[in-house]
Amino acid sequence: MTTITRMNLGQNGPLVSKLGLGCMRMSPVWGSQANDESESIATIQAALDNGINFLNTGDFYGAGHNELLVGKAIRGRRDDAFISVKFGAVFYNNQWLGLDLRPIAIKNFINYSLVRLGIDTIDLYQPCRLDGSVPVEDVIGTVADLIAEGKVRHLGVSEITAAQLREAHSIHPVTALEIGYSLADRQIEGDLLPTARELGIGVVTFANTAEGLLTGELKAPLPAGSYQTHFSRFQGDNLIKNLATVEVLKQMATEKGYTPAQLAIAWVNAQGEHIMPLVSMSRRARLPENMEAMGITFTPAEMEVLDTHFAPGAIAGGTYLQR
């Protein structure tokens, strides 16, 4: 398999794998069923064995199930793993209720996370979003206090604006920004990515295949009950138009001897040394293809074709954050 290189997460930040493992889909989230736990644990361990040390989870994934699972997988090999945890989302019976970013809640959240993970310190701790319900200085300041206490090593932020990123970084150095980014979701190229680069903040990108749009496997209309239909890009004429655009990616993938999903990951990887594709996997069988994607390169002509056909705004419907 392709050797996974390392990158500094942020300017002079910790050394982590250039490819991250997203663990969310290993647990029941938003009504989905949990995957086979033994296979999920084996997938995490196989990733660690192959040099992927960045493991991404959230305390609300499966109401704590995901952290318990990650904890089992890293038992006895804590030093092999870099653990990233998101907090702040509140669910009830798989229904989103909102955010709780009060300092008292954050201090409660982290103690539960440490117990479930079976560790003493979380490597990267980040609010899943900032919605203005609690002042940014209170949220970031609380994580800064946890860093001073030794319960957290680095501050991260997720799904925020460039202005919020600057504000957070002015309170305490931000190591990493987690955000959706793909050929189909390029809105962050306007100000958020340049701001992160300016401030020396690493970028961890999820939804690299735009919730399956860029896999080349979808057909219109989607099956009833498909979670993708919550996104406007997968609805009605939008989906038909977007699938036509994806044909360009499918054709290039055929010519290069890869899958469209691999090219989608490779494109994100090619956007900079400070950018990490975060890929969700719950089966070991997915590991070789996703690792192989990290070795794919594009000619200038190929990159021009992709940049032209997938220019910002080319995909019909809302962006990832706007649905």
Side-chain angles (χ1 to χ4, degrees):
M1 285 190 280
T2 302
T3 300
I4 298 300
T5 60
R6 295 295 179 98
M7 63 176 278
N8 286 107
L9 193 61
Q11 191 172 31
N12 302 316
L15 200 63
V16 297
S17 52
K18 187 69 162 63
L19 175 65
L21 173 61
C23 300
M24 181 184 74
R25 299 192 191 281
M26 298 176 183
S27 298
V29 180
W30 298 304
S32 67
Q33 297 299 310
N35 288 280
D36 177 74
E37 184 168 297
S38 61
E39 178 62 21
S40 294
I41 290 173
T43 300
I44 293 173
Q45 293 174 339
L48 295 175
D49 291 340
N50 284 278
I52 300 174
N53 73 334
F54 189 97
L55 306 180
N56 182 266
T57 183
D59 63 13
F60 49 92
Y61 292 169
H65 173 272
N66 205 247
E67 289 182 319
L68 287 168
L69 188 148
V70 171
K72 292 177 183 178
I74 66 171
R75 190 170 297 152
R77 54 188 311 181
R78 173 66 181 95
D79 292 343
D80 295 339
F82 184 94
I83 307 298
S84 170
V85 177
K86 290 189 290 296
F87 66 85
V90 179
F91 285 83
Y92 181 72
N93 293 341
N94 293 315
Q95 297 298 312
W96 164 270
L97 298 184
L99 298 175
D100 190 350
L101 299 172
R102 296 170 301 154
I104 192 173
I106 297 171
K107 292 175 180 178
N108 181 55
F109 291 151
I110 193 165
N111 282 341
Y112 280 96
S113 288
L114 291 171
V115 170
R116 286 190 290 253
L117 289 163
I119 60 180
D120 298 320
T121 307
I122 291 171
D123 297 303
L124 184 71
Y125 201 51
Q126 53 191 336
C128 63
R129 292 179 187 174
L130 295 174
D131 66 350
S133 60
V134 176
V136 174
E137 59 265 29
D138 290 350
V139 179
I140 301 304
T142 301
V143 179
D145 290 343
L146 296 176
I147 292 173
E149 290 178 36
K151 292 186 175 183
V152 173
R153 290 195 174 95
H154 303 281
L155 166 67
V157 291
S158 176
E159 299 188 46
I160 66 174
T161 66
Q164 289 173 326
L165 182 60
R166 287 188 183 279
E167 184 177 2
H169 192 68
S170 71
I171 298 165
H172 188 279
V174 175
T175 295
L177 161 69
E178 184 179 324
I179 195 77
Y181 186 42
S182 71
L183 275 166
D185 279 299
R186 301 181 60 179
Q187 70 277 11
I188 65 171
E189 293 176 351
D191 57 359
L192 191 53
L193 273 186
T195 299
R197 187 179 300 111
E198 174 196 336
L199 299 176
I201 297 170
V203 181
V204 178
T205 66
F206 60 84
N208 301 152
T209 65
E211 300 298 334
L213 178 64
L214 302 178
T215 63
E217 299 175 358
L218 300 184
K219 298 184 184 303
L222 296 181
S226 170
Y227 83 92
Q228 284 116 324
T229 57
H230 293 292
F231 299 88
S232 60
R233 67 178 50 161
F234 293 102
Q235 299 168 4
D237 291 340
N238 284 348
L239 179 59
I240 294 172
K241 177 181 182 297
N242 294 337
L243 291 179
T245 301
V246 173
E247 287 297 319
V248 174
L249 184 67
K250 291 172 65 176
Q251 178 63 33
M252 183 179 293
T254 298
E255 294 171 355
K256 292 175 73 66
Y258 299 106
T259 67
Q262 285 179 306
L263 291 198
I265 295 168
W267 181 87
V268 173
N269 183 47
Q271 300 312 301
E273 291 302 314
H274 65 302
I275 293 177
M276 174 202 298
L278 179 66
V279 180
S280 293
M281 290 176 268
S282 59
R283 294 178 287 111
R284 283 168 287 180
R286 293 278 317 283
L287 197 57
E289 64 183 275
N290 290 327
M291 291 180 62
E292 184 180 41
M294 299 297 288
I296 297 174
T297 58
F298 298 96
T299 66
E302 289 171 337
M303 192 63 81
E304 183 176 357
V305 168
L306 294 177
D307 285 341
T308 298
H309 283 85
F310 291 92
I315 295 298
T319 66
Y320 182 83
L321 295 180
Q322 295 168 336
R323 303 266 174 182

